[in-house]
Amino acid sequence: EERYSERVYTIREGETLELQCLVTGHPRPQINTTIFKFMGCFSSRIQTTSLYLNPDETTPAVSSPDLDDPVITVHQSVGESKEQFYFERTVFLRCVANSNPPVHYTWRRGREVLSQGSDSGVEIYEPFFTQGETKILKLKNLRPQDYADYTCISSVRNVCGIGDKSARFSLNNRTAPPSIKLLLDDPLVVNPGETITLVCVASGGDPPPTLSWVRPGGEELPRRSRVKGGTLTVPAITVDDGGAYSCVASNNVGNPAKKSSTILVRGLRKGRFWITPDPYHNDDNIQIGREVKISCQVEATPPEELQFSWLKNGRPLRSSERMVITHTDTEVSPGTTNLDIIDLKFTDFGTYTCVAALRNGGTPEISIDVNISSTTVPPVLTVPRGRSHLIAQEGDTVDLQCLVSGKPKPIILWSRVEESGSAAAAVLLMPDGSAQMESYDGVLRITNVSRDMSGTYRCQTSQYNGFNVKPREALIQLVVQFPPVVEPVYTEIRQALGRAFSLTCRLLRAHPARLLRYEWKLGTRLLTVGQFSDQKDDTNYHVRALNREGYGEYTCDITNEAGAGRCTFLVTGKAYAPEFYYDTYSALWQNRPRVYGFKLQWTQMEPNAVDRILAYRLGIRQMSQSRWWEQEIPMEGTIQKGELLTYNLTELVKPESYLVRLTPITRYGEGDATERIITYSAPVNPHLREFQCGFEDEALCLFSQDKTDEFDWTRHSAVTRDTKYTPNTGPSSDHTGSKQGFYMYIETSRPRLDGDKARLLSPTFNMNAKSSSSGPSYCFSFYYHMYGKHIGALNVFLRQKGQTVTDTSVWSLIGNQGDRWRQAKVNIQPTAAFQMVMEGVRGAGIEGDIAIDDVTIEEGKCKDPPPNNLRSLAPPSSPHIWQLCITLSLALIGRQR
């Protein structure tokens, strides 16, 4: 049930935000994950891409490189020349930005603002697949005037203080995509431990491209490597550093240029051997008078440098009619050599050594010894008696063992056997996550065994480092027993006295799943016992009428041979926590100088779940102190679900904040408490007698920009303001005559249009909740400057935030008022929390800057109105909105500088 109104918070990227979720429900739910829709403010770098195509080509999907600085990319099409632009080609400038709130894009050519329809040769649109994130400027049939500097400006209109960002690109007839060349051999073969240097140079491209080195698949460069421009240096290279390296050149014109080279680090790895008995006889044993073949295999880098030699009993062995030595093709990896002994004799018994080396050295050689004798026999694989079916408890350490005999002893490979009827695609993994594990002693040790490791395991002899015969194998069945898994593990049940209820404990799974027993207890007192039947997977306990002795912790234990699973139920008469209501209308009031009051409102969560709530214990303390004050708030009658309860807190000391705690009380006792903080909103309250703002501080006295208008007010001083485009408008100082003083103004230069509006919102001012219906009077005054032949209008609205938000015009002025500051005063009588809205409207041209300064709100009516006092024309409120009682007046004071 959604019980809270939606709240919106604004936060900058990188700041800390704490989210709190209040969970309700009966029984109380167990929450693992709560999802918040998070819409924080952020802005990323702008990526601007440009490409040019022939007229008959279509717009491709272009992926910009992820760079730290804003960029524009140009893509070269296939044409007559790859170094120049020609007429009758189309250019696409692509601007990409990622932010929240969404970006507003503006394109400029030089200082000219480009918009849809402003130039027949220009088209601006958003690609369908990137709407909101990408803006494309299409220059159709490139013209001489299109050779210019282009700027893409992205703006979120200063939300969260995020300023505008821009990217620039100069389009000319020399613009060309990058090209590169590598100054090294490919492949480059090196010895381990050497220092290598890879050099990449740009052979073309305008603007000059940026060079970088990468490895395929996003693999990182070696940690010891150093990159300087197009030069990559790797000191003390290792075998793991070998592989492909790519040089990438990008100048954001066309696709990046890329060339790769392969680094081969000399090395020998994975030396293996196997013995093959005479293939023409159905016998796996070595016998005198028959053939036997010894094979040796090694992985070499580079493979073409691999060379083998053979020794017998330490002496070199050459190929002969009875001792035939062969090698596989050097291009095949791994490399293999074979020694065929024809018509084995007793004198052929001995130790044969296979030596693998690289032709050019650079790495140690590998030697593999193989003994051929009367004791060289194929392997035999068995499982010890009583070890083919193992039963283990979950969490134990278990050893699976296969005994292997024979000489030489082969490596044992362990894998899992798929259960019959399971999907063929389902590969059962070993405990380490692999499909197969090796063992040199025939033992597979599984620590902390879990239930998903139950099943059949296969051990088999490998075909390397032993006899090349049909693998010997054996199977071992592993059964992992685990205690019953039940639900709920823990739940809280709130009940009133005299009520009936049932508790249910459900069995989810167990092994073994037979002979299951259950046992119900209240505390240490045994309630009932029993045994599960094959048809049931739950057990229930019923309470007919709850008494005081029935409150407590109920447990249900379901047991098997491996242990027990427990359901726990806490039965209590505690009332649920109250839930504070945060949307109280005019909750804070102040009618005395040093204290204030607060209307505390709340609802009671599930009031009918327990006995009637008799009272609430109210605790309150100042945030700066540790002492609590407590009192009881008695409750008459039964509280209904959703009923809004109210209690007025008085004599709260300004400007202190308070922590309030509310605890429901029933005949069972105290229930769950809830807390909230009450904060005094002193900074913007009109009951401080006076509010003043001269805009000297960047915080603008908590004034804010309206998010629904066309543009914003700007804070400026006369010494920093740019008057390049508007020399005949705007003030030359603030209203006191200081050129260093600040004021707010609207800049009406392009891209502003006739009728565009900018609104500046004052802070929200609270009202006295106990004030009369007519409301107190306030004097709102400000200075304004309206000079220029294109001056539009300056409007002031009173925005009241009652049950509905209403805007009422209280002052308005149109047209040029001369190059001077004037003062306006107006009486207002708000009846609810309110804001003042200052609206500037752009006129017909660029000489229409309007400025304001020194805004004040004072309690009481305006004093000493000027002699030329005029009443502004305020339109009446809509008939369906409650009529506001507001007295309006206009005061103008002119001062010639």
Side-chain angles (χ1 to χ4, degrees):
E1 181 182 3
E2 297 181 3
R3 305 177 65 94
Y4 305 97
S5 62
E6 181 179 358
R7 297 184 177 274
V8 179
Y9 301 92
T10 301
I11 185 170
R12 284 296 302 272
E13 187 174 32
E15 294 179 349
T16 300
L17 174 67
E18 182 179 286
L19 303 176
Q20 184 181 26
C21 181
L22 303 180
V23 182
T24 65
H26 177 69
R28 182 178 293 274
Q30 296 179 353
I31 298 299
N32 295 323
T33 304
T34 302
I35 297 177
F36 291 86
K37 184 177 181 182
F38 181 66
M39 297 292 291
C41 292
F42 68 90
S43 71
S44 72
R45 50 194 164 273
I46 307 169
Q47 301 178 60
T48 311
T49 307
S50 123
L51 58 139
Y52 71 90
L53 306 171
N54 288 326
D56 58 343
E57 291 181 320
T58 57
T59 305
V62 180
S63 177
S64 298
D66 188 17
L67 301 178
D68 289 337
D69 297 321
V71 297
I72 292 186
T73 302
V74 180
H75 279 237
Q76 172 85 32
S77 66
V78 178
E80 298 176 1
S81 170
K82 296 191 176 183
E83 300 300 330
Q84 294 184 342
F85 281 91
Y86 287 95
F87 298 158
E88 298 184 359
R89 289 194 174 176
T90 299
V91 173
F92 295 83
L93 300 174
R94 183 169 180 250
C95 190
V96 181
N98 182 23
S99 73
N100 184 50
V103 164
H104 175 265
Y105 296 95
T106 303
W107 283 97
R108 288 185 179 178
R109 180 170 53 200
R111 292 160 66 174
E112 174 192 4
V113 176
L114 299 176
S115 59
Q116 186 67 21
S118 63
D119 187 331
S120 60
V122 172
E123 183 179 345
I124 299 176
Y125 64 92
E126 293 178 349
F128 175 76
F129 53 90
T130 61
Q131 286 188 359
E133 299 178 359
T134 303
K135 203 77 170 183
I136 286 184
L137 174 66
K138 178 180 179 182
L139 305 176
K140 299 178 289 186
N141 295 330
L142 200 64
R143 304 161 299 178
Q145 62 265 35
D146 293 327
Y147 294 119
D149 294 334
Y150 290 87
T151 305
C152 171
I153 303 171
S154 72
S155 173
V156 292
R157 303 178 55 174
N158 214 32
V159 172
C160 292
I162 299 173
D164 296 351
K165 295 186 178 182
S166 63
R168 293 177 175 84
F169 180 74
S170 180
L171 184 62
N172 57 64
N173 62 354
R174 298 183 306 276
T175 304
S179 59
I180 55 176
K181 59 182 178 181
L182 300 179
L183 304 182
L184 68 154
D185 297 331
D186 185 27
L188 179 63
V189 182
V190 298
N191 295 324
E194 291 182 353
T195 297
I196 66 165
T197 300
L198 309 182
V199 180
C200 172
V201 296
S203 57
D206 188 296
T210 300
L211 303 177
S212 62
W213 283 93
V214 296
R215 299 193 69 178
E219 186 179 354
E220 294 184 356
L221 295 174
R223 290 188 176 181
R224 307 173 307 282
S225 62
R226 300 185 301 271
V227 179
K228 184 177 181 181
T231 301
L232 169 65
T233 302
V234 183
I237 196 167
T238 65
V239 174
D240 294 334
D241 297 332
Y245 288 77
S246 299
C247 176
V248 180
S250 175
N251 65 349
N252 309 310
V253 179
N255 291 319
K258 182 178 181 180
K259 284 194 175 182
S260 301
S261 180
T262 301
I263 308 301
L264 300 179
V265 182
R266 288 189 175 91
L268 299 172
R269 296 187 303 164
K270 294 185 179 180
R272 294 175 174 178
F273 76 91
W274 58 89
I275 302 171
T276 306
D278 192 339
Y280 300 105
H281 295 81
N282 189 19
D283 191 349
D284 293 341
N285 293 286
I286 297 176
Q287 296 187 19
I288 298 294
R290 293 182 180 177
E291 178 183 345
V292 63
K293 180 167 67 174
I294 306 172
S295 300
C296 176
Q297 187 180 82
V298 174
E299 291 185 5
T301 304
E304 63 271 13
E305 292 188 10
L306 177 62
Q307 55 186 17
F308 289 103
S309 61
W310 285 90
L311 306 175
K312 179 184 177 182
N313 298 327
R315 295 181 178 180
L317 185 65
R318 299 182 182 277
S319 184
S320 64
E321 291 183 357
R322 289 189 56 252
M323 300 283 185
V324 181
I325 299 175
T326 59
H327 307 295
T328 59
D329 191 340
T330 57
E331 295 182 357
V332 178
S333 182
T336 305
T337 182
N338 300 304
L339 171 62
D340 280 291
I341 304 176
I342 310 298
D343 187 15
L344 182 68
K345 299 181 182 299
F346 181 79
T347 56
D348 294 329
F349 287 167
T351 300
Y352 292 84
T353 304
C354 165
V355 181
L358 292 179
R359 185 179 305 112
N360 296 318
T363 185
E365 61 185 21
I366 291 180
S367 298
I368 301 174
D369 294 332
V370 183
N371 184 266
I372 300 295
S373 67
S374 57
T375 60
T376 304
V377 294
V380 176
L381 193 67
T382 59
V383 177
R385 178 177 297 181
R387 301 289 294 176
S388 60
H389 186 87
L390 301 179
I391 298 177
Q393 301 286 326
E394 193 169 39
D396 290 349
T397 297
V398 61
D399 287 339
L400 281 64
Q401 184 178 18
C402 286
L403 300 178
V404 60
S405 61
K407 184 179 180 181
K409 276 189 178 182
I411 296 174
I412 302 301
L413 304 178
W414 287 92
S415 60
R416 296 182 67 176
V417 180
E418 297 177 2
E419 301 294 336
S420 59
S422 63
V427 178
L428 298 177
L429 299 180
M430 297 295 289
D432 67 348
S434 64
Q436 187 173 264
M437 295 176 64
E438 293 183 352
S439 170
Y440 290 88
D441 59 0
V443 176
L444 174 65
R445 171 163 291 183
I446 305 175
T447 59
N448 193 25
V449 66
S450 60
R451 65 196 66 175
D452 57 354
M453 296 180 188
S454 294
T456 303
Y457 288 77
R458 176 193 293 118
C459 64
Q460 66 180 25
T461 58
S462 67
Q463 291 183 309
Y464 50 87
N465 291 10
F467 271 73
N468 182 21
V469 295
K470 181 180 179 180
R472 277 55 168 166
E473 67 176 42
L475 300 179
I476 298 178
Q477 184 71 29
L478 175 63
V479 177
V480 180
Q481 295 183 343
F482 56 90
V485 179
V486 298
E487 69 172 11
V489 176
Y490 179 88
T491 188
E492 186 181 64
I493 297 177
R494 309 207 178 195
Q495 286 289 344
L497 290 170
R499 293 183 184 175
F501 62 94
S502 295
L503 307 177
T504 300
C505 184
R506 289 177 292 278
L507 173 67
L508 300 180
R509 53 191 173 274
H511 190 86
R514 54 185 176 80
L515 301 178
L516 295 172
R517 295 181 57 81
Y518 63 83
E519 183 179 86
W520 284 92
K521 287 184 178 181
L522 173 56
T524 58
R525 179 162 59 95
L526 182 64
L527 299 176
T528 182
V529 296
Q531 185 168 325
F532 272 84
S533 64
D534 294 337
Q535 292 77 25
K536 292 195 63 177
D537 59 359
D538 61 26
T539 174
N540 301 283
Y541 183 76
H542 304 281
V543 177
R544 295 183 178 179
L546 182 64
N547 54 30
R548 288 192 175 273
E549 289 72 24
Y551 286 121
E553 188 174 85
Y554 292 75
T555 58
C556 174
D557 291 328
I558 300 177
T559 59
N560 66 359
E561 297 176 17
R566 170 170 288 188
C567 296
T568 302
F569 306 86
L570 179 61
V571 179
T572 177
K574 290 174 59 177
Y576 286 102
E579 298 172 312
F580 283 114
Y581 183 67
Y582 288 87
D583 297 325
T584 303
Y585 175 64
S586 298
L588 188 146
W589 75 86
Q590 342 175 37
N591 54 3
R592 293 165 57 190
R594 297 184 180 179
V595 298
Y596 68 100
F598 190 85
K599 182 189 293 185
L600 190 69
Q601 291 189 308
W602 70 93
T603 58
Q604 177 60 44
M605 184 195 308
E606 303 296 341
N608 299 321
V610 296
D611 293 316
R612 185 179 73 85
I613 295 176
L614 306 175
Y616 286 93
R617 176 166 288 113
L618 173 68
I620 185 170
R621 71 171 177 87
Q622 287 188 15
M623 295 297 294
S624 58
Q625 300 181 5
S626 59
R627 180 182 176 185
W628 285 87
W629 287 269
E630 291 188 345
Q631 68 179 89
E632 285 195 0
I633 307 173
M635 292 287 112
E636 300 294 335
T638 302
I639 300 174
Q640 301 301 317
K641 184 176 181 178
E643 180 181 352
L644 193 61
L645 307 174
T646 302
Y647 185 79
N648 290 329
L649 302 175
T650 58
E651 305 299 321
L652 303 179
V653 179
K654 298 180 183 178
E656 298 292 335
S657 297
Y658 289 83
L659 178 63
V660 176
R661 182 169 61 205
L662 207 56
T663 309
I665 301 174
T666 64
R667 58 176 175 168
Y668 175 86
E670 292 188 355
D672 293 338
T674 189
E675 296 180 346
R676 70 163 294 181
I677 295 176
I678 296 173
T679 303
Y680 176 65
S681 54
V684 296
N685 199 293
H687 293 88
L688 295 178
R689 303 291 179 183
E690 184 177 5
F691 172 84
Q692 294 181 340
C693 183
F695 305 112
E696 300 301 323
D697 183 32
E698 290 186 2
L700 303 181
C701 316
L702 300 183
F703 272 82
S704 61
Q705 307 281 358
D706 193 346
K707 302 300 186 296
T708 62
D709 55 7
E710 287 77 25
F711 67 112
D712 291 340
W713 288 79
T714 303
R715 175 178 173 268
H716 253 302
S717 64
V719 294
T720 60
R721 184 175 175 210
D722 183 4
T723 58
K724 183 181 297 183
Y725 303 107
T726 52
N728 299 315
T729 185
S732 58
S733 66
D734 72 356
H735 112 266
T736 65
S738 170
K739 292 186 179 294
Q740 284 73 34
F742 284 87
Y743 53 85
M744 301 295 291
Y745 85 106
I746 60 170
E747 173 58 64
T748 57
S749 302
R750 287 182 295 186
R752 301 279 66 86
L753 302 175
D754 188 6
D756 283 359
K757 297 176 181 178
R759 297 189 189 92
L760 190 65
L761 309 180
S762 77
T764 299
F765 299 100
N766 294 325
M767 290 295 300
N768 189 338
K770 296 185 178 181
S771 63
S772 62
S773 59
S774 62
S777 295
Y778 298 95
C779 179
F780 177 69
S781 66
F782 61 95
Y783 286 86
Y784 63 91
H785 188 283
M786 301 171 66
Y787 168 60
K789 64 181 180 180
H790 299 137
I791 289 292
L794 178 61
N795 304 315
V796 179
F797 298 91
L798 174 68
R799 175 172 294 180
Q800 300 198 85
K801 298 183 176 181
Q803 300 299 333
T804 60
V805 177
T806 60
D807 283 355
T808 304
S809 175
V810 297
W811 188 88
S812 181
L813 195 60
I814 300 174
N816 185 3
Q817 304 298 317
D819 187 10
R820 67 185 65 184
W821 286 95
R822 301 172 184 267
Q823 187 183 30
K825 292 185 178 182
V826 60
N827 291 317
I828 57 174
Q829 275 188 290
T831 58
F834 69 95
Q835 288 177 289
M836 302 305 297
V837 181
M838 312 290 288
E839 179 185 77
V841 183
R842 200 256 198 190
I846 62 174
E847 296 181 16
D849 294 354
I850 299 175
I852 59 172
D853 198 6
D854 289 336
V855 177
T856 63
I857 301 177
E858 296 178 280
E859 193 171 23
K861 293 187 176 182
C862 297
K863 300 176 182 179
D864 302 324
N868 57 340
N869 187 19
L870 302 175
R871 185 174 298 277
S872 64
L873 301 177
S877 302
S878 302
H880 63 281
I881 300 176
W882 180 62
Q883 184 67 41
L884 303 176
C885 299
I886 304 175
T887 302
L888 312 175
S889 65
L890 167 65
L892 304 178
I893 300 177
R895 177 167 63 87
Q896 182 68 40
R897 270 199 267 272

mmCIF file of all heavy atoms in Angstrom, residues 654-676:
data_model
loop_
_atom_site.group_PDB
_atom_site.id
_atom_site.type_symbol
_atom_site.label_atom_id
_atom_site.label_comp_id
_atom_site.label_asym_id
_atom_site.label_seq_id
_atom_site.Cartn_x
_atom_site.Cartn_y
_atom_site.Cartn_z
ATOM 1 N N LYS A 654 12.720 29.279 19.519
ATOM 2 C CA LYS A 654 13.399 29.635 18.282
ATOM 3 C C LYS A 654 14.904 29.743 18.531
ATOM 4 O O LYS A 654 15.329 30.226 19.588
ATOM 5 C CB LYS A 654 12.897 30.981 17.757
ATOM 6 C CG LYS A 654 11.430 31.046 17.398
ATOM 7 C CD LYS A 654 11.091 32.451 16.893
ATOM 8 C CE LYS A 654 9.595 32.602 16.592
ATOM 9 N NZ LYS A 654 9.289 33.975 16.148
ATOM 10 N N PRO A 655 15.737 29.377 17.607
ATOM 11 C CA PRO A 655 15.472 28.699 16.333
ATOM 12 C C PRO A 655 15.792 27.213 16.431
ATOM 13 O O PRO A 655 16.306 26.620 15.495
ATOM 14 C CB PRO A 655 16.423 29.410 15.393
ATOM 15 C CG PRO A 655 17.644 29.651 16.267
ATOM 16 C CD PRO A 655 17.138 29.860 17.672
ATOM 17 N N GLU A 656 15.587 26.606 17.601
ATOM 18 C CA GLU A 656 16.012 25.237 17.850
ATOM 19 C C GLU A 656 15.210 24.229 17.026
ATOM 20 O O GLU A 656 14.033 24.442 16.739
ATOM 21 C CB GLU A 656 15.864 24.905 19.344
ATOM 22 C CG GLU A 656 16.723 25.749 20.267
ATOM 23 C CD GLU A 656 18.199 25.449 20.082
ATOM 24 O OE1 GLU A 656 18.513 24.337 19.633
ATOM 25 O OE2 GLU A 656 19.025 26.327 20.389
ATOM 26 N N SER A 657 15.861 23.121 16.685
ATOM 27 C CA SER A 657 15.187 21.974 16.086
ATOM 28 C C SER A 657 14.955 20.934 17.170
ATOM 29 O O SER A 657 15.710 20.846 18.146
ATOM 30 C CB SER A 657 16.028 21.373 14.962
ATOM 31 O OG SER A 657 16.187 22.303 13.918
ATOM 32 N N TYR A 658 13.920 20.114 16.992
ATOM 33 C CA TYR A 658 13.524 19.155 18.019
ATOM 34 C C TYR A 658 13.373 17.760 17.426
ATOM 35 O O TYR A 658 12.937 17.603 16.270
ATOM 36 C CB TYR A 658 12.194 19.573 18.664
ATOM 37 C CG TYR A 658 12.298 20.799 19.551
ATOM 38 C CD1 TYR A 658 12.254 22.076 19.010
ATOM 39 C CD2 TYR A 658 12.469 20.675 20.926
ATOM 40 C CE1 TYR A 658 12.358 23.204 19.805
ATOM 41 C CE2 TYR A 658 12.569 21.803 21.740
ATOM 42 C CZ TYR A 658 12.519 23.056 21.176
ATOM 43 O OH TYR A 658 12.618 24.153 21.976
ATOM 44 N N LEU A 659 13.733 16.758 18.225
ATOM 45 C CA LEU A 659 13.474 15.363 17.890
ATOM 46 C C LEU A 659 12.228 14.927 18.653
ATOM 47 O O LEU A 659 12.166 15.049 19.886
ATOM 48 C CB LEU A 659 14.663 14.482 18.270
ATOM 49 C CG LEU A 659 14.517 12.985 18.012
ATOM 50 C CD1 LEU A 659 14.364 12.714 16.522
ATOM 51 C CD2 LEU A 659 15.698 12.209 18.582
ATOM 52 N N VAL A 660 11.242 14.446 17.909
ATOM 53 C CA VAL A 660 9.966 14.041 18.498
ATOM 54 C C VAL A 660 9.828 12.533 18.361
ATOM 55 O O VAL A 660 10.062 11.973 17.280
ATOM 56 C CB VAL A 660 8.786 14.752 17.807
ATOM 57 C CG1 VAL A 660 7.461 14.261 18.357
ATOM 58 C CG2 VAL A 660 8.901 16.259 17.991
ATOM 59 N N ARG A 661 9.437 11.859 19.459
ATOM 60 C CA ARG A 661 9.228 10.407 19.458
ATOM 61 C C ARG A 661 7.818 10.111 19.937
ATOM 62 O O ARG A 661 7.359 10.667 20.946
ATOM 63 C CB ARG A 661 10.255 9.733 20.355
ATOM 64 C CG ARG A 661 10.147 8.203 20.385
ATOM 65 C CD ARG A 661 11.351 7.595 21.062
ATOM 66 N NE ARG A 661 11.468 8.048 22.447
ATOM 67 C CZ ARG A 661 12.612 8.088 23.126
ATOM 68 N NH1 ARG A 661 13.735 7.720 22.510
ATOM 69 N NH2 ARG A 661 12.646 8.498 24.365
ATOM 70 N N LEU A 662 7.131 9.232 19.226
ATOM 71 C CA LEU A 662 5.742 8.904 19.517
ATOM 72 C C LEU A 662 5.633 7.396 19.698
ATOM 73 O O LEU A 662 6.044 6.620 18.821
ATOM 74 C CB LEU A 662 4.847 9.380 18.375
ATOM 75 C CG LEU A 662 3.385 9.729 18.701
ATOM 76 C CD1 LEU A 662 3.318 10.791 19.794
ATOM 77 C CD2 LEU A 662 2.680 10.207 17.448
ATOM 78 N N THR A 663 5.098 6.947 20.845
ATOM 79 C CA THR A 663 4.991 5.533 21.175
ATOM 80 C C THR A 663 3.551 5.199 21.526
ATOM 81 O O THR A 663 2.994 5.780 22.468
ATOM 82 C CB THR A 663 5.898 5.169 22.358
ATOM 83 O OG1 THR A 663 7.224 5.644 22.111
ATOM 84 C CG2 THR A 663 5.913 3.668 22.587
ATOM 85 N N PRO A 664 2.879 4.256 20.817
ATOM 86 C CA PRO A 664 1.511 3.868 21.166
ATOM 87 C C PRO A 664 1.504 2.963 22.402
ATOM 88 O O PRO A 664 2.441 2.191 22.636
ATOM 89 C CB PRO A 664 1.029 3.119 19.920
ATOM 90 C CG PRO A 664 2.272 2.586 19.292
ATOM 91 C CD PRO A 664 3.363 3.570 19.607
ATOM 92 N N ILE A 665 0.438 3.053 23.184
ATOM 93 C CA ILE A 665 0.305 2.260 24.418
ATOM 94 C C ILE A 665 -1.025 1.521 24.383
ATOM 95 O O ILE A 665 -2.080 2.124 24.133
ATOM 96 C CB ILE A 665 0.375 3.159 25.671
ATOM 97 C CG1 ILE A 665 1.720 3.919 25.703
ATOM 98 C CG2 ILE A 665 0.195 2.334 26.941
ATOM 99 C CD1 ILE A 665 1.812 4.935 26.828
ATOM 100 N N THR A 666 -0.987 0.203 24.592
ATOM 101 C CA THR A 666 -2.187 -0.620 24.742
ATOM 102 C C THR A 666 -2.134 -1.292 26.111
ATOM 103 O O THR A 666 -1.185 -1.079 26.887
ATOM 104 C CB THR A 666 -2.250 -1.689 23.642
ATOM 105 O OG1 THR A 666 -1.134 -2.585 23.804
ATOM 106 C CG2 THR A 666 -2.178 -1.051 22.261
ATOM 107 N N ARG A 667 -3.132 -2.107 26.427
ATOM 108 C CA ARG A 667 -3.099 -2.803 27.712
ATOM 109 C C ARG A 667 -1.969 -3.839 27.749
ATOM 110 O O ARG A 667 -1.597 -4.313 28.818
ATOM 111 C CB ARG A 667 -4.439 -3.455 28.026
ATOM 112 C CG ARG A 667 -4.925 -4.447 26.979
ATOM 113 C CD ARG A 667 -6.203 -5.103 27.436
ATOM 114 N NE ARG A 667 -6.783 -5.982 26.420
ATOM 115 C CZ ARG A 667 -7.766 -6.845 26.664
ATOM 116 N NH1 ARG A 667 -8.298 -6.923 27.877
ATOM 117 N NH2 ARG A 667 -8.239 -7.611 25.692
ATOM 118 N N TYR A 668 -1.425 -4.214 26.574
ATOM 119 C CA TYR A 668 -0.248 -5.078 26.540
ATOM 120 C C TYR A 668 0.985 -4.324 27.014
ATOM 121 O O TYR A 668 1.886 -4.883 27.628
ATOM 122 C CB TYR A 668 -0.040 -5.597 25.111
ATOM 123 C CG TYR A 668 1.218 -6.399 24.929
ATOM 124 C CD1 TYR A 668 1.224 -7.773 25.208
ATOM 125 C CD2 TYR A 668 2.399 -5.810 24.484
ATOM 126 C CE1 TYR A 668 2.382 -8.526 25.040
ATOM 127 C CE2 TYR A 668 3.562 -6.553 24.323
ATOM 128 C CZ TYR A 668 3.546 -7.912 24.591
ATOM 129 O OH TYR A 668 4.686 -8.649 24.438
ATOM 130 N N GLY A 669 1.031 -3.032 26.725
ATOM 131 C CA GLY A 669 2.187 -2.224 27.072
ATOM 132 C C GLY A 669 2.542 -1.290 25.926
ATOM 133 O O GLY A 669 1.701 -0.956 25.083
ATOM 134 N N GLU A 670 3.806 -0.863 25.890
ATOM 135 C CA GLU A 670 4.250 0.050 24.855
ATOM 136 C C GLU A 670 4.454 -0.672 23.531
ATOM 137 O O GLU A 670 4.917 -1.809 23.491
ATOM 138 C CB GLU A 670 5.551 0.746 25.267
ATOM 139 C CG GLU A 670 5.401 1.708 26.427
ATOM 140 C CD GLU A 670 6.665 2.513 26.651
ATOM 141 O OE1 GLU A 670 7.665 2.240 25.967
ATOM 142 O OE2 GLU A 670 6.647 3.416 27.512
ATOM 143 N N GLY A 671 4.113 0.008 22.437
ATOM 144 C CA GLY A 671 4.330 -0.525 21.110
ATOM 145 C C GLY A 671 5.594 0.028 20.481
ATOM 146 O O GLY A 671 6.479 0.565 21.173
ATOM 147 N N ASP A 672 5.687 -0.082 19.164
ATOM 148 C CA ASP A 672 6.853 0.429 18.448
ATOM 149 C C ASP A 672 6.801 1.941 18.359
ATOM 150 O O ASP A 672 5.746 2.530 18.080
ATOM 151 C CB ASP A 672 6.914 -0.160 17.034
ATOM 152 C CG ASP A 672 7.185 -1.648 17.049
ATOM 153 O OD1 ASP A 672 7.721 -2.133 18.061
ATOM 154 O OD2 ASP A 672 6.846 -2.320 16.056
ATOM 155 N N ALA A 673 7.946 2.566 18.564
ATOM 156 C CA ALA A 673 8.032 4.020 18.521
ATOM 157 C C ALA A 673 8.514 4.470 17.144
ATOM 158 O O ALA A 673 9.149 3.717 16.400
ATOM 159 C CB ALA A 673 8.973 4.537 19.605
ATOM 160 N N THR A 674 8.206 5.705 16.802
ATOM 161 C CA THR A 674 8.727 6.317 15.589
ATOM 162 C C THR A 674 9.160 7.732 15.908
ATOM 163 O O THR A 674 8.641 8.352 16.852
ATOM 164 C CB THR A 674 7.668 6.296 14.469
ATOM 165 O OG1 THR A 674 8.267 6.717 13.248
ATOM 166 C CG2 THR A 674 6.510 7.222 14.785
ATOM 167 N N GLU A 675 10.129 8.248 15.148
ATOM 168 C CA GLU A 675 10.704 9.557 15.426
ATOM 169 C C GLU A 675 10.726 10.414 14.174
ATOM 170 O O GLU A 675 10.735 9.898 13.048
ATOM 171 C CB GLU A 675 12.139 9.416 15.963
ATOM 172 C CG GLU A 675 12.240 8.703 17.292
ATOM 173 C CD GLU A 675 13.680 8.579 17.779
ATOM 174 O OE1 GLU A 675 14.588 8.816 16.949
ATOM 175 O OE2 GLU A 675 13.900 8.263 18.966
ATOM 176 N N ARG A 676 10.712 11.712 14.387
ATOM 177 C CA ARG A 676 10.923 12.670 13.312
ATOM 178 C C ARG A 676 11.555 13.925 13.890
ATOM 179 O O ARG A 676 11.514 14.161 15.106
ATOM 180 C CB ARG A 676 9.620 13.027 12.592
ATOM 181 C CG ARG A 676 8.641 13.866 13.400
ATOM 182 C CD ARG A 676 7.577 14.517 12.531
ATOM 183 N NE ARG A 676 8.154 15.511 11.638
ATOM 184 C CZ ARG A 676 7.437 16.239 10.779
ATOM 185 N NH1 ARG A 676 6.141 16.056 10.697
ATOM 186 N NH2 ARG A 676 8.027 17.125 10.000
#
